[in-house]
Amino acid sequence: MQVRDCLISAPGKAILHGEHAVVHGKVALAVSLNLRTYLQLKASSDGKVSIKLPNIDTFVCWELSELKQLNPGLSGKKEEGQCLDPELVKRLREFMGVTNENLDSSTTATLAFLYIYLSLFGSGEMPSLMVCVWSELPTGAGLGSSAAYSVCLAAAVLCASGAIPTPLKEWEQTAGWCQEDLELINSWAFQAEKIVHGNPSGVDNAVGTWGGMLRFLAGKIIPLSRVPLLRILLTNTKVPRSTKVLVARVKDKINKFPSILIPVLDSVDAISCTCEKVLNEMTCEPIKGEHYNILEELIDINQHHLNVMGVGHPSLDTLCQVTAARGLHSKLTGAGGGGCGITLLRP
């Protein structure tokens, strides 16, 4: 099997409004950041599959003979990226000696890599590969670092398996895929995200795949083609947190207090729709101070809602207080509970 070397990158993301509301079919708005994760895939002749992750100093390696024993019955159907195979996940966890649910980011990233590699190559010829990952994104900070990695991983292995072309020509520095190929990349990236987060919304991998600004509703992705360029100050509280734990916390609270939390989610939905309307206006007419006034008010209201949902944190409260003292408006991004906050900056 001829495997072509490739270098792929994907952006991180900031949630403007509505990530937790997506759980109940509400609108979320997300925007890509000018911070990226990079993945280089090379063919190897040593009979091994190896990967080096950003927070690990050395490559993790497996013999091809070991991996071939893990994929009995796998078809290698490259068009099927929608349903996670629980049996394969179970075999991989046993293979890696993983016994608990609270895994570190390196372990889940490795599981995701092996899952996509084995799923896409199936029981056919399995190539020897060397994968190296590096990133400008901090992990566990609400910036979609795992999704950016998952998108790079899916795109690289799909290219290596021949499921999608490698569009980059020798004389070009960058290239992209057609819509159909992007949808396939996104579907496999979503499977990797499920391994990392359990029950992700799909917003992060969609932004990593398409970039720009997206409207996300019930799994339907609508890229916003005309959006103003927003200046955002990004602040990392450096408080680690787990997206899986925080999403579960919101679900539990909704189940416990549905008459209280569902109206909050409806309000977040309205915030997202109002924000989208304002952003559209800002592309059709001269930008006014009133546009920024509305966006700032929406940020404040959304942040209060997120605290009601139980995903705030004292470090994020401090961020909001410090920036408010200087006339700026901030909110958390991602799952909350620490991680990063975003502050809207006027021109």
Side-chain angles (χ1 to χ4, degrees):
M1 176 179 289
Q2 183 69 33
V3 175
R4 184 176 174 182
D5 297 353
C6 63
L7 174 64
I8 295 170
S9 72
K13 69 91 181 66
I15 294 289
L16 295 182
H17 300 294
E19 180 170 44
H20 287 288
V22 168
V23 175
H24 276 253
K26 309 301 181 182
V27 172
L29 290 181
V31 61
S32 60
L33 298 172
N34 192 25
L35 295 170
R36 306 182 77 87
T37 291
Y38 299 86
L39 184 148
Q40 186 173 39
L41 182 148
K42 291 184 176 182
S44 175
S45 59
D46 61 1
K48 295 180 180 180
V49 174
S50 57
I51 185 169
K52 182 181 182 301
L53 297 168
N55 48 352
I56 297 179
D57 294 332
T58 59
F59 280 87
V60 180
C61 303
W62 304 273
E63 297 286 346
L64 280 176
S65 56
E66 293 180 288
L67 298 181
K68 286 177 180 177
Q69 297 175 12
L70 295 171
N71 65 345
L74 289 179
S75 64
K77 290 184 179 180
K78 303 170 181 62
E79 70 277 6
E80 295 178 1
Q82 296 299 325
C83 298
L84 198 67
D85 183 346
E87 286 301 315
L88 178 56
V89 175
K90 181 181 177 182
R91 287 200 298 272
L92 288 173
R93 289 174 68 93
E94 292 171 352
F95 173 70
M96 293 182 60
V98 174
T99 57
N100 58 53
E101 292 299 321
N102 297 320
L103 308 179
D104 60 52
S105 59
S106 298
T107 303
T108 54
T110 304
L111 276 170
F113 167 68
L114 290 175
Y115 179 88
I116 291 183
Y117 174 84
L118 291 172
S119 296
L120 289 176
F121 287 104
S123 55
E125 183 182 352
M126 296 171 63
S128 179
L129 300 177
M130 179 180 292
V131 175
C132 185
V133 184
W134 64 100
S135 184
E136 299 167 339
L137 295 162
T139 59
L143 301 182
S145 59
S146 67
Y149 162 72
S150 297
V151 170
C152 289
L153 182 62
V157 182
L158 282 165
C159 282
S161 69
I164 61 175
T166 304
L168 189 66
K169 309 301 181 195
E170 290 185 7
W171 59 88
E172 296 175 337
Q173 292 188 336
T174 60
W177 288 274
C178 68
Q179 182 69 13
E180 184 179 359
D181 292 339
L182 289 173
E183 289 174 357
L184 187 60
I185 291 169
N186 187 56
S187 68
W188 280 104
F190 191 37
Q191 299 314 305
E193 278 283 87
K194 288 179 180 178
I195 293 173
V196 174
H197 292 307
N199 187 28
S201 65
V203 173
D204 292 12
N205 49 275
V207 174
T209 302
W210 278 277
M213 189 178 292
L214 300 178
R215 183 182 196 267
F216 191 92
L217 174 62
K220 187 175 181 181
I221 303 155
I222 302 174
L224 304 182
S225 56
R226 297 184 62 194
V227 292
L229 181 65
L230 297 179
R231 296 174 65 236
I232 292 175
L233 174 67
L234 196 62
T235 303
N236 188 353
T237 67
K238 297 190 177 179
V239 175
R241 80 295 178 282
S242 165
T243 296
K244 184 184 294 186
V245 170
L246 288 157
V247 169
R249 183 187 300 173
V250 172
K251 285 187 175 180
D252 288 343
K253 187 164 283 196
I254 292 168
N255 291 333
K256 190 175 182 180
F257 304 110
S259 62
I260 298 172
L261 268 295
I262 289 176
V264 174
L265 295 174
D266 290 337
S267 180
V268 172
D269 183 66
I271 290 170
S272 297
C273 294
T274 305
C275 180
E276 182 182 359
K277 179 175 178 290
V278 173
L279 293 173
N280 284 331
E281 288 178 359
M282 293 170 76
T283 64
C284 299
E285 58 186 78
I287 296 177
K288 305 171 186 175
E290 181 60 23
H291 289 131
Y292 276 91
N293 291 341
I294 296 173
L295 292 179
E296 289 166 348
E297 285 190 77
L298 294 177
I299 285 173
D300 292 342
I301 297 169
N302 190 212
Q303 178 62 20
H304 289 307
H305 284 353
L306 290 163
N307 281 326
V308 170
M309 291 182 196
V311 294
H313 189 273
S315 63
L316 293 163
D317 293 339
T318 300
L319 167 64
C320 292
Q321 291 163 7
V322 169
T323 54
R326 288 153 179 81
L328 301 170
H329 300 257
S330 305
K331 65 176 288 291
L332 65 84
T333 181
C340 282
I342 57 174
T343 305
L344 179 64
L345 302 179
R346 295 193 179 218

